[in-house]
Amino acid sequence: MAAQLDMQTLEAAAQWYVDLCDGDEPLREAHRQWLRSDPRHAQAWARVERLQSKLGRVTADIARPTLDATRMKRRATLKVLALLIGAGGLAGMGVQVSPWRNVMADYRTGIGERRKVRLADGSSLELNTASAADVNFSATLREVSLREGELLIQTAPDALARPFVVHTPHGSIRALGTRFLVRSDGAGSEVGVLQHAVEVRPRQAPEQVVRVEAGQRLAFSSRAAGALDALPVGRDAWTRDQLVVSDWRLDDFLAELARYRPGHLGCDAQVANLRISGAFQLGDSDVVLDNLGGTLPVRVRRFTRYWVRVEKS
C-alpha cells in the first residue's frame, strides 16, 4: 500500500521541482538523497513527473533574472503545489486534508505565526504556530475546540457562571478558574496547567476524570489519560517568542524547532542523541541553526531554503 502523503511532503516536492529548474549538479545530488530518504518523497516526486508538461509551463519564467527571485520562486512553488493537489482531488491522492479544513476555523495561525484573541467573556486565547481553533459560547456553556496546534488559555470569571471547556480530537478539558496550555496533534493531546487546575476527560472514556493542578501536565489519547508529571520550566516560552529546553535530545529539539519554520528540518542519526539546553529565539530559526556548531559537533547543510539537515561535523 502506498504511504499517505502530507502537505509538507508535497510542498517539498514542489520546491525541489522549482529549484531544479536552474540547479547545478550538487543540488541534483541533494535531490537524489532526498528521494532515497523516505518512500513518501519518491511517491510525491512520481506525481511531479506525471504532471511534467503542465509544471514546465508554470515554472518557465523563474530561470530568467529577476529583481525578486525569491518571491518569484515561492509563487512558482505554490502553483506547482496547487497542480499536484488538483490532480485527481485530495482524497484521490491520499493527502491528509486537515490543513485545508483548518482554513475554515474561527481562528488560525500559519507556520511561525502567533495570534492573541480576546473573547466575549473577557477570557483570552493565544494561538501558537500552525494552530486552528473554534469558539462557541451559548447560554449555558463556553466552548473552545482546538482542531490542531497549541493554545494558551486564560479564563475570566463569567457573570452567567457558564463552564469553560476546551475540546480536542482526543477529549475535553474543563477549566477550574485557570491559565493553562493545550496542545494537540495526530498522536494525542497534552494539557499543562500554569495556574489553578483543570479536569481532563478522554473522549472514549469520559468517566475517567483526571484533575491536573498548577505545575503539572498530562498527556492523553481518546481512550485513556497518561500519568501526571511536572510541567517543564519554560513550557509557555513560545508566548515570548522563545524555545526553552533543558537536556533535550538534539533530534527532539530540531523536531520542535521545525514547527516554527516552513519546509523540512532533519537530523542525522549520528548526532540525534546529542544533548542541548538553553533559551533560543524563535524569530529567526536560521540563526539558531547557525549557532548550533558553536556548542555541538555538528554542521548545517542547506540543500534549499526549505530542506535543511543537521549532520556530524
Side-chain angles (χ1 to χ4, degrees):
M1 177 183 288
Q4 186 180 47
L5 294 176
D6 56 27
M7 290 300 300
Q8 184 170 308
T9 301
L10 283 175
E11 184 172 357
Q15 181 67 44
W16 274 115
Y17 181 78
V18 171
D19 287 342
L20 288 172
C21 287
D22 57 357
D24 53 14
E25 182 54 33
L27 186 63
R28 296 183 186 280
E29 175 57 29
H31 174 247
R32 288 191 284 269
Q33 292 181 24
W34 176 76
L35 287 175
R36 293 192 295 267
S37 66
D38 191 314
R40 293 172 299 178
H41 299 170
Q43 186 180 342
W45 193 249
R47 297 189 183 280
V48 169
E49 292 178 328
R50 285 199 290 271
L51 290 172
Q52 190 85 26
S53 61
K54 291 184 179 179
L55 299 179
R57 292 195 295 272
V58 169
T59 58
D61 60 343
I62 66 170
R64 296 198 297 269
T66 174
L67 295 176
D68 197 352
T70 299
R71 181 177 297 180
M72 291 291 290
K73 283 197 171 187
R74 184 58 183 160
R75 288 177 178 173
T77 298
L78 292 176
K79 289 179 181 179
V80 172
L81 181 60
L83 282 174
L84 291 176
I85 292 169
L90 289 170
M93 293 176 65
V95 178
Q96 297 173 357
V97 298
S98 60
W100 296 91
R101 291 199 300 266
N102 290 345
V103 172
M104 303 303 294
D106 292 340
Y107 304 103
R108 61 187 174 90
T109 54
I111 295 175
E113 181 186 4
R114 294 200 320 271
R115 182 179 181 184
K116 193 166 186 177
V117 180
R118 189 169 183 84
L119 303 181
D121 68 335
S123 299
S124 65
L125 303 179
E126 188 160 359
L127 286 76
N128 198 1
T129 177
S131 299
D134 299 308
V135 175
N136 180 34
F137 282 13
S138 69
T140 59
L141 192 61
R142 297 175 291 170
E143 294 178 288
V144 173
S145 296
L146 176 60
R147 298 186 181 208
E148 185 178 50
E150 187 170 19
L151 297 175
L152 171 64
I153 298 125
Q154 174 73 63
T155 61
D158 184 48
L160 300 177
R162 295 169 295 178
F164 194 110
V165 179
V166 178
H167 302 286
T168 79
H170 309 99
S172 63
I173 302 143
R174 178 169 176 163
L176 302 175
T178 189
R179 183 170 180 261
F180 61 107
L181 297 153
V182 182
R183 179 165 167 173
S184 183
D185 57 28
S189 296
E190 179 184 288
V191 60
V193 181
L194 300 166
Q195 296 175 4
H196 303 295
V198 301
E199 290 179 346
V200 175
R201 291 173 172 82
R203 182 175 295 277
Q204 296 180 28
E207 73 286 351
Q208 186 186 103
V209 182
V210 181
R211 184 181 174 102
V212 188
E213 303 283 352
Q216 295 180 323
R217 70 171 173 178
L218 178 75
F220 59 97
S221 68
S222 59
R223 295 184 177 182
L228 289 167
D229 64 355
L231 182 66
V233 174
R235 186 64 184 78
D236 62 341
W238 60 266
T239 64
R240 302 182 294 278
D241 205 28
Q242 290 185 326
L243 172 58
V244 176
V245 302
S246 177
D247 197 35
W248 281 29
R249 285 174 53 98
L250 180 60
D251 55 352
D252 291 336
F253 171 77
L254 293 174
E256 186 67 15
L257 187 64
R259 297 176 61 218
Y260 298 88
R261 52 182 290 130
H264 174 79
L265 174 57
C267 180
D268 191 282
Q270 293 185 18
V271 297
N273 62 354
L274 294 176
R275 314 302 291 196
I276 186 169
S277 300
F280 304 88
Q281 295 297 319
L282 292 170
D284 193 338
S285 57
D286 283 321
V287 172
V288 174
L289 293 171
D290 290 340
N291 289 334
L292 284 180
T295 56
L296 296 173
V298 299
R299 64 172 181 170
V300 177
R301 293 188 66 190
R302 290 178 170 84
F303 300 114
T304 77
R305 181 185 175 189
Y306 302 101
W307 185 261
V308 182
R309 182 177 174 85
V310 178
E311 302 175 343
K312 186 177 180 180
S313 60

